[in-house]
Amino acid sequence: MPKKSQSMIKIDRIDRSILELLQDNGELTNQEVADKVGLSPSPCLRRVRALEKAGIIVKRVTLLDHKKLGLALTAIILIGMDRHTPERFATFEAKVAEYPEVQECYLITGQDADYMLKVVVPDMDQYHHFLLNHITRIQGVSGVHSSFVLRRVIDSSALPLRYLS
Amino acid sequence: MPKKSQSMIKIDRIDRSILELLQDNGELTNQEVADKVGLSPSPCLRRVRALEKAGIIVKRVTLLDHKKLGLALTAIILIGMDRHTPERFATFEAKVAEYPEVQECYLITGQDADYMLKVVVPDMDQYHHFLLNHITRIQGVSGVHSSFVLRRVIDSSALPLRYLS
DNA sequence: ATTTCTTTGGCATTATATGCCTCATAAAGT
DNA sequence: ACTTTATGAGGCATATAATGCCAAAGAAAT
C-alpha cells in the first residue's frame, strides 16, 4: 500500500484505464484517451493532470531502437564490494550515475554480489573498454561478473496495474 | 553498426540532439524541440517523422511511479531450463509474455541460468504466489533463483547516444 | 427531501501540428 | 565556369488539439 499523504489519490477504474492507455502509448491525445475511457476531454485532462501532480505519472519518454542506433550489446553485470560501508556505496552509486551506458543499477539481495547493472554499448570492444576503464576502477569494486543478453524476449516499462484495488 | 537497408538514415548532430531531447522528455512540443536544436518547426518535424519511419523512434510511453501504485517489490529471477531445445524456449517465452508482472525477460550467457527476469509485484506474498503458481509451473523450468531489489539507484530507458559517429 | 460537495460536459480561446509552396544550398553533369 | 537537379530549410494557412471557465448533473450527508 502506498504511504498516506496529502498527495494521495483514490484511483478508480477510470484512472486505471487512463494509466493503462498512457503507459502503453504516450502519444495519445487527450481527446483519444477521453474517448476510450468514456469521458469528455475536459474531465479526462483534469484526471491526467491530477495523476501528474500526485506523482503517479512520472514522465513521458521516447523509446529508441537499440540495434538501429548501433547499440547491439546489452550486458548484465553483477558487482561485489570489498567493504559494505555507506561511503563505499555512495562512491559507487555516484560514479555509476555518470555513465549513460548504465541503464539500470540496483542494490540487490540473493546474489553473491551487491549491485546488478544493465549496460548498453555498441560491441564487445566497447564493453571491454567500459568495464576495464570505468567500472573496475571505482573504489571498492572487488568482484565483477558479466552476462550478455542473447535475446530480448520482453523489454517493457509498463507496470502491472491489475493489483490496483 | 546497424544493418544497411532502404530504411537506413544518416544521423547527423541535429538528429542526435533531437533523439537526446525526446528520449528524456517525450512531451516536448515540436516547437520546443525545434527551438532547442536550432531549427524552425517545419524541418524539425520532418526529421522526427523520418526517425519514426526509420524505426529509430520506436514509441512514446508514460512512466509511472512504482511505490505510489503499491508495487513495492521488484525481483530479479534467474531461471534455468532442463533441456535446451527450441520447443522449451518457445513455450517458456510465450508463457512469460502473458504475465504483465514481467517487465524484462532476457536470454543470457554467463550465468548458471538461461533466463533473467525482472518482475514487479506489490509484496512478498504476491511474489511468492506468482513464483509458485506461474513461473515454476512452466514446462521445462528446472532451477529458479530469486534476488530482490533493495534500492533503485538508476532506472532509465535512455540509451547512450555518445557512440553515434 | 434538501443541502453540500464533487465531477462532468460544453464552449470559447489559445496554442500546436501539419501540409503546401517557395527559396537557398550543394552536388553532378556539360 | 555555368547550368541543371536534388535535397532540405523556412514561412504561411488551415486543421486539430489543449486549456480554462462556467453551468449543470450526480452522489453523499444530514
Side-chain angles (χ1 to χ4, degrees):
Chain A
M1 292 285 288
K3 283 203 216 96
K4 281 184 186 174
S5 74
Q6 77 281 10
S7 67
M8 269 286 290
I9 272 191
K10 32 174 178 35
I11 294 171
D12 61 15
R13 288 136 208 90
I14 298 181
D15 287 322
R16 190 183 137 167
S17 301
I18 291 174
L19 293 175
E20 277 177 343
L21 288 168
L22 288 181
Q23 83 168 337
D24 189 56
N25 184 357
E27 64 190 340
L28 285 172
T29 66
N30 180 56
Q31 305 200 350
E32 289 170 324
V33 176
D35 243 33
K36 288 174 195 280
V37 302
L39 283 179
S40 71
S42 223
C44 183
L45 183 62
R46 253 198 310 270
R47 280 170 179 266
V48 172
R49 293 287 175 260
L51 290 166
E52 287 171 348
K53 196 177 169 195
I56 291 171
I57 289 179
V58 177
K59 71 188 296 197
R60 321 277 185 124
V61 299
T62 303
L63 303 183
L64 309 180
D65 187 292
H66 298 244
K67 291 195 181 170
K68 292 201 171 135
L69 290 168
L71 297 166
L73 186 63
T74 301
I76 308 294
I77 321 182
L78 290 172
I79 294 176
M81 303 298 283
D82 60 352
R83 289 171 43 217
H84 293 179
T85 62
E87 298 77 36
R88 279 285 192 269
F89 289 154
T91 306
F92 180 79
E93 294 179 9
K95 237 7 187 160
V96 147
E98 288 177 14
Y99 305 121
E101 290 89 346
V102 179
Q103 263 199 345
E104 300 178 18
C105 171
Y106 302 128
L107 185 64
I108 60 169
T109 70
Q111 291 286 153
D112 134 64
D114 299 299
Y115 288 105
M116 195 208 82
L117 273 67
K118 190 168 98 181
V119 168
V120 177
V121 287
D123 52 39
M124 256 323 160
D125 279 353
Q126 296 288 348
Y127 179 68
H128 188 220
H129 180 272
F130 178 73
L131 197 64
L132 259 60
N133 292 293
H134 297 299
I135 296 299
T136 60
R137 288 197 183 168
I138 302 175
Q139 195 177 40
V141 168
S142 70
V144 173
H145 183 95
S146 299
S147 297
F148 300 101
V149 171
L150 294 175
R151 221 168 84 73
R152 213 171 267 278
V153 180
I154 298 172
D155 190 0
S156 162
S157 55
L159 297 175
L161 300 184
R162 60 156 64 152
Y163 295 101
L164 292 180
S165 42
Chain B
M1 293 285 288
K3 283 204 217 95
K4 281 186 186 174
S5 74
Q6 76 281 11
S7 67
M8 269 286 289
I9 273 190
K10 34 177 176 32
I11 295 172
D12 61 17
R13 286 134 209 92
I14 298 181
D15 288 322
R16 190 183 136 166
S17 301
I18 291 174
L19 292 175
E20 276 177 345
L21 288 167
L22 289 181
Q23 82 168 340
D24 190 55
N25 184 357
E27 63 190 340
L28 286 173
T29 66
N30 180 55
Q31 305 197 352
E32 290 169 324
V33 176
D35 241 34
K36 287 173 195 282
V37 303
L39 284 180
S40 70
S42 219
C44 183
L45 184 61
R46 254 199 308 269
R47 281 170 179 266
V48 172
R49 294 287 175 260
L51 290 166
E52 287 170 347
K53 196 176 169 194
I56 291 170
I57 291 179
V58 177
K59 72 189 294 198
R60 323 276 183 126
V61 300
T62 303
L63 302 182
L64 309 180
D65 187 293
H66 298 242
K67 290 195 180 169
K68 293 203 169 132
L69 290 169
L71 298 166
L73 187 63
T74 301
I76 307 293
I77 321 181
L78 291 172
I79 294 176
M81 304 298 282
D82 60 352
R83 289 170 44 217
H84 293 180
T85 63
E87 298 77 34
R88 278 285 190 269
F89 288 155
T91 307
F92 180 80
E93 294 178 10
K95 233 13 183 155
V96 146
E98 288 176 15
Y99 304 122
E101 290 89 346
V102 179
Q103 264 200 344
E104 300 178 16
C105 173
Y106 302 128
L107 186 64
I108 59 169
T109 70
Q111 289 289 149
D112 135 65
D114 300 300
Y115 288 104
M116 195 207 83
L117 274 67
K118 190 168 96 181
V119 168
V120 177
V121 287
D123 53 39
M124 256 323 159
D125 280 354
Q126 295 289 348
Y127 179 68
H128 188 219
H129 180 272
F130 179 73
L131 197 64
L132 261 61
N133 292 293
H134 297 298
I135 295 299
T136 59
R137 288 195 183 170
I138 302 175
Q139 196 177 39
V141 168
S142 70
V144 173
H145 183 95
S146 299
S147 297
F148 300 102
V149 171
L150 295 175
R151 221 168 85 71
R152 212 170 269 277
V153 181
I154 297 171
D155 190 2
S156 162
S157 55
L159 296 176
L161 300 185
R162 61 157 62 153
Y163 294 101
L164 293 181
S165 41

